[in-house]
Amino acid sequence: MSGAPAVRISIESASEKQVQEVGLDGSETYLQPLSMSQNLARLAQRIDFSQGSGSEEDEPPPGAQARDWAAPGDAEDEEGLVKFQPSLWPWDSVRNNLRGALTEMCVLYDVLSIVKDKKFMTLDPVVQDPLPPKQNPQTLQLISKKKSLAGAAQILLKGAERLSKSVAENQENKRQRDFNSELLRLRQHWKLRKVGDKILGDLSYRSAGSLFPHHGTFEVIKNTDIDLDKKIPEDYCPLDVQIPSDLEGSAYIKVSIQKQAPDIGDLGTVNLFKRPLPKSKPGAPHWQTKLEAAQNVLLCKEIFAQLSREAVQIKSQIPHIVVKNQIISQPFPGLQLSISLCHSSNDKKSQKTASEKQSPEDHLYVLEHNLHQLIREFHKQTLSSTMMPHPASAPFGHKRMRMAGPQAFDKNDISSLQPNEGLLEKIIRQAKHIFLRRRTAQTIDSLASRIEDPQIQAHWSNINDVYESSVKVLITSQGYEQICKSIQLQLNIGVEQIRVVHRDGRVITLSHQEQELQDFLLSQMSQHQVHAVQQLAKVMGWHVLSFSNHVGLGPVESIGNASAITVASPSGDYAISVRNGPESGSKVMVQFPRCQCKDLPKSDVLQDSKWNHLRGPFKEVQWNKMEGRNFVYKLELLMAALTPC
């Protein structure tokens, strides 16, 4: 072992970085090694400089420190060191004083040489301000007052400037607060969103189910047109809205029915704007009225676009015509249904042009209201077309699609479940019904005004449908309403026909022709006179000998058939025959006993006097010369005159 060669072993610190932190995932965070300057600073911090800062008197003698740890054999060495210490020089303080005095003399010499040569520094005498001359006491008082007023004015100017700034800031803050509060009110009524530095709103009905492609976006801006220094008007609003140019103004859908259809070449843009522009409601902000008008314009454009699209797609016997802002259809022969989009902007030029082109008002407000209802129903169907499945395991989609699987529906069955009637078809059917109802009312009114006897009364039902209405028609005689209730008709007015229900349950179907309804009512009024005679005879005690609603004798009526009745007096001596026709009118004839007929020739066959009590031939009564206010009253007087006491 001792003969082995020596091996040098160098021990150095490992060059690994120290670990600062170990994460939860096992990752280690290392400390970067110190640079040379950082290492020097670290080592300098370890030096204690307070040990060498004390005086020599405070320090213990070096021999005392050595005695603490030196061995006893080293005492002789310490005594030798003390003997060789040098002693202090007695002229040391004098030398130090002379050296300080020499330094001061050198400095003084340098200063004097600099001042004398004037090469580096120049010394100039200080000039004192001359004393002000003595002034008059009044002048001094005036100057002092002037200075005091100038100081006060300066203070007032600074205060006024601060007040003006404060007022401007308050107004600006108030306007900002008013803008925020008005924006909050706007947000309560309309949908708003922030896009960049802009506030945009939505006018469309997409959230309600609309499929109209118009974006319908408006912008909310701050109203800065007013000057804050001037008086703020009462109707000032810090918020304003900017709507698209094509939605400005006001619009409505004009629906009219005309009897004479013009040529297609004469059709143009309809601009019959007779409605006043919408005025702001009291208490409502102006932006609310502006947005409502713009939304109404958007809805009218959506309705007209939907109607135009259906008018082009629907195949009918008489094709629909779409020209500019007008849709033309013919529901009945010789009748024209016109649907127009009337849009008026706020400029004065368009209003003047619209006022020049005004025509007689034939607008059907009911159909316009129905159009708005139909488009909202369409929105509702579109919005509710996608329903949640019941049960939850059913396929997602429309209800009829879920029913198609379990019930094995084919394509035709599924299409039958879907409503095939469009917006235009519905409004045309409603227009047909309205026109037919209007024509029926005009026919009844014209007959009631033209014919006084008998009287015709119409009682319209308040509970109607958009496709069906009903009216009850009563034909009576004045003063005899209680005994003459024979004719009671129920008219059910549909889309293309009229169903007439009689009192006895008979049903007659009439077409949309006006003349057909008029002829039917005239024939019923003619029959009423005969039925009134029958009821009057029962009251007066007369006997009905014959009655017929359709007489086959006499002249042929061009309208319906004539009716006739023959009644006899209670004693049987007299007889009255009444014939009434819709066109020929009334004809009354009386039959007297043979004994009262002096102009009858004596017959050789009838020798017995009992045959004289038989009635003779009929004689016509000059009905126009009879007294009485109506037909039944005259006949009552005639029966009373022929009835024996």
Side-chain angles (χ1 to χ4, degrees):
M1 293 297 293
S2 60
V7 179
R8 292 184 179 182
I9 299 175
S10 59
I11 300 174
E12 298 179 357
S13 62
S15 61
E16 294 182 358
K17 300 179 181 178
Q18 296 182 359
V19 178
Q20 180 182 5
E21 182 182 1
V22 178
L24 298 176
D25 56 350
S27 60
E28 298 179 351
T29 304
Y30 298 98
L31 289 176
Q32 296 295 331
L34 299 177
S35 61
M36 296 182 66
S37 59
Q38 294 176 351
N39 193 15
L40 178 61
R42 184 175 64 85
L43 296 176
Q45 289 178 357
R46 298 180 179 180
I47 300 175
D48 188 5
F49 293 96
S50 61
Q51 296 179 1
S53 59
S55 59
E56 296 179 356
E57 297 176 356
D58 298 335
E59 294 180 357
Q65 295 180 0
R67 293 190 191 98
D68 296 336
W69 56 271
D74 297 334
E76 298 178 358
D77 298 335
E78 293 179 3
E79 294 177 0
L81 291 175
V82 174
K83 291 180 180 180
F84 290 103
Q85 288 182 356
S87 60
L88 296 176
W89 189 34
W91 298 99
D92 191 15
S93 59
V94 177
R95 185 193 61 180
N96 293 336
N97 292 334
L98 291 176
R99 182 179 294 176
L102 178 61
T103 303
E104 291 177 2
M105 290 299 296
C106 292
V107 172
L108 180 61
Y109 175 77
D110 293 337
V111 171
L112 291 178
S113 62
I114 291 172
V115 172
K116 182 180 178 181
D117 295 341
K118 296 182 180 181
K119 192 180 292 185
F120 305 101
M121 188 188 306
T122 303
L123 299 177
D124 294 332
V126 178
V127 180
Q128 297 181 357
D129 295 335
L131 296 175
K134 294 183 179 180
Q135 298 179 355
N136 193 5
Q138 296 180 356
T139 305
L140 294 175
Q141 188 177 6
L142 182 61
I143 292 174
S144 62
K145 288 182 178 181
K146 185 177 180 180
K147 289 183 178 180
S148 301
L149 291 176
Q154 190 68 20
I155 294 173
L156 292 176
L157 289 176
K158 290 182 179 180
E161 184 178 358
R162 290 182 179 179
L163 288 176
S164 61
K165 289 182 179 179
S166 176
V167 170
E169 290 178 358
N170 291 335
Q171 290 181 353
E172 183 66 25
N173 295 335
K174 182 179 179 181
R175 188 168 69 175
Q176 184 67 25
R177 290 194 302 269
D178 294 343
F179 175 79
N180 294 334
S181 61
E182 201 73 17
L183 184 63
L184 180 61
R185 293 180 58 188
L186 178 64
R187 189 178 179 183
Q188 293 175 354
H189 295 83
W190 303 91
K191 292 178 61 178
L192 299 179
R193 67 181 187 274
K194 188 73 175 296
V195 179
D197 57 347
K198 296 182 179 180
I199 303 176
L200 301 180
D202 189 10
L203 288 171
S204 65
Y205 287 90
R206 284 192 293 269
S207 59
S210 175
L211 301 178
F212 193 54
H214 196 285
H215 56 85
T217 303
F218 67 92
E219 183 180 357
V220 181
I221 57 177
K222 194 173 184 179
N223 191 2
T224 57
D225 297 337
I226 190 171
D227 191 3
L228 296 176
D229 297 336
K230 299 181 180 179
K231 184 179 180 180
I232 300 177
E234 297 180 357
D235 57 348
Y236 167 72
C237 183
L239 184 143
D240 198 3
V241 291
Q242 186 175 1
I243 60 177
S245 58
D246 56 340
L247 299 181
E248 292 181 352
S250 182
Y252 70 99
I253 300 294
K254 182 177 183 296
V255 185
S256 60
I257 298 177
Q258 302 174 0
K259 292 185 178 180
Q260 295 181 357
D263 297 335
I264 298 178
D266 298 337
L267 297 176
T269 304
V270 178
N271 195 8
L272 304 176
F273 202 88
K274 299 183 67 177
R275 293 184 178 180
L277 295 177
K279 298 181 180 179
S280 58
K281 301 177 183 179
H286 75 283
W287 49 261
Q288 181 70 14
T289 306
K290 194 174 181 180
L291 292 178
E292 287 178 356
Q295 193 176 43
N296 180 57
V297 173
L298 182 62
L299 183 62
C300 291
K301 287 191 174 184
E302 180 180 359
I303 293 174
F304 189 79
Q306 180 72 14
L307 293 175
S308 302
R309 182 167 56 253
E310 293 181 2
V312 176
Q313 295 176 355
I314 294 176
K315 296 180 181 180
S316 59
Q317 296 179 354
I318 302 176
H320 308 291
I321 303 173
V322 181
V323 180
K324 294 184 179 179
N325 65 333
Q326 190 176 10
I327 302 174
I328 298 174
S329 177
Q330 291 187 2
F332 293 123
L335 190 68
Q336 173 182 292
L337 174 65
S338 175
I339 304 175
S340 308
L341 173 62
C342 300
H343 184 198
S344 173
S345 57
N346 294 330
D347 54 345
K348 297 181 179 180
K349 183 178 180 181
S350 62
Q351 296 179 12
K352 183 177 180 182
T353 306
S355 62
E356 292 175 355
K357 294 184 179 181
Q358 287 179 0
S359 66
E361 179 66 27
D362 55 353
H363 178 37
L364 298 176
Y365 295 96
V366 177
L367 290 182
E368 180 191 0
H369 177 71
N370 292 347
L371 275 174
H372 285 266
Q373 283 188 339
L374 290 175
I375 196 65
R376 283 176 169 83
E377 290 179 1
F378 178 75
H379 290 169
K380 185 178 179 181
Q381 292 177 2
T382 305
L383 190 63
S384 61
S385 60
T386 304
M387 301 171 59
M388 294 302 295
H390 298 284
S393 59
F396 189 80
H398 200 274
K399 182 178 180 181
R400 62 174 180 271
M401 299 300 294
R402 295 196 297 270
M403 294 172 58
Q407 300 184 11
F409 284 169
D410 56 3
K411 184 178 180 181
N412 296 330
D413 295 335
I414 295 176
S415 61
S416 63
L417 294 176
Q418 185 177 4
N420 297 324
E421 195 174 21
L423 192 65
L424 182 60
E425 294 178 347
K426 290 181 180 179
I427 205 65
I428 289 177
R429 289 185 58 195
Q430 294 182 14
K432 285 183 178 181
H433 170 70
I434 290 176
F435 174 75
L436 193 58
R437 184 180 61 186
R438 180 185 294 182
R439 179 181 284 179
T440 303
Q442 291 176 356
T443 303
I444 296 175
D445 292 343
S446 63
L447 289 177
S449 60
R450 188 179 63 184
I451 301 175
E452 297 181 357
D453 184 32
Q455 294 179 345
I456 182 171
Q457 301 175 4
H459 300 275
W460 292 88
S461 176
N462 294 328
I463 303 175
N464 298 320
D465 188 55
V466 291
Y467 302 120
E468 187 174 0
S469 301
S470 63
V471 56
K472 188 176 183 180
V473 179
L474 301 177
I475 301 176
T476 59
S477 298
Q478 184 180 3
Y480 298 90
E481 291 85 358
Q482 296 297 326
I483 63 174
C484 300
K485 293 183 178 180
S486 57
I487 304 298
Q488 294 183 4
L489 304 174
Q490 180 77 23
L491 302 182
N492 296 328
I493 306 170
V495 176
E496 295 182 351
Q497 61 184 7
I498 302 174
R499 295 177 67 253
V500 182
V501 182
H502 287 264
R503 189 175 184 180
D504 55 357
R506 291 179 294 124
V507 179
I508 299 176
T509 303
L510 304 177
S511 65
H512 60 85
Q513 296 294 335
E514 181 182 5
Q515 189 63 37
E516 189 173 348
L517 177 62
Q518 183 176 353
D519 295 346
F520 174 76
L521 292 178
L522 286 175
S523 64
Q524 293 296 317
M525 295 171 73
S526 175
Q527 292 180 10
H528 166 76
Q529 301 288 47
V530 179
H531 285 280
V533 175
Q534 182 183 8
Q535 298 296 330
L536 182 63
K538 293 180 180 179
V539 175
M540 298 292 292
W542 286 53
H543 306 288
V544 179
L545 301 180
S546 65
F547 176 83
S548 177
N549 282 329
H550 307 286
V551 180
L553 301 176
V556 179
E557 300 286 339
S558 61
I559 302 173
N561 296 323
S563 303
I565 187 174
T566 302
V567 294
S569 62
S571 61
D573 296 336
Y574 301 93
I576 299 176
S577 179
V578 180
R579 187 181 190 275
N580 199 318
E583 187 177 9
S584 59
S586 301
K587 185 178 182 180
V588 181
M589 300 183 72
V590 180
Q591 189 179 21
F592 295 93
R594 295 181 66 89
C595 61
Q596 296 183 7
C597 298
K598 299 179 180 180
D599 54 347
L600 289 178
K602 294 183 179 180
S603 175
D604 297 335
V605 179
L606 302 176
Q607 297 295 333
D608 195 355
S609 60
K610 66 179 182 180
W611 300 107
N612 293 330
H613 296 286
L614 295 177
R615 292 186 295 271
F618 284 94
K619 292 183 179 181
E620 185 177 357
V621 181
Q622 296 181 1
W623 200 249
N624 296 331
K625 295 183 179 180
M626 284 286 295
E627 296 291 337
R629 58 179 178 267
N630 54 27
F631 176 79
V632 181
Y633 185 71
K634 291 179 181 181
L635 196 62
E636 183 184 4
L637 293 178
L638 181 60
M639 287 181 178
L642 297 178
T643 302
C645 298

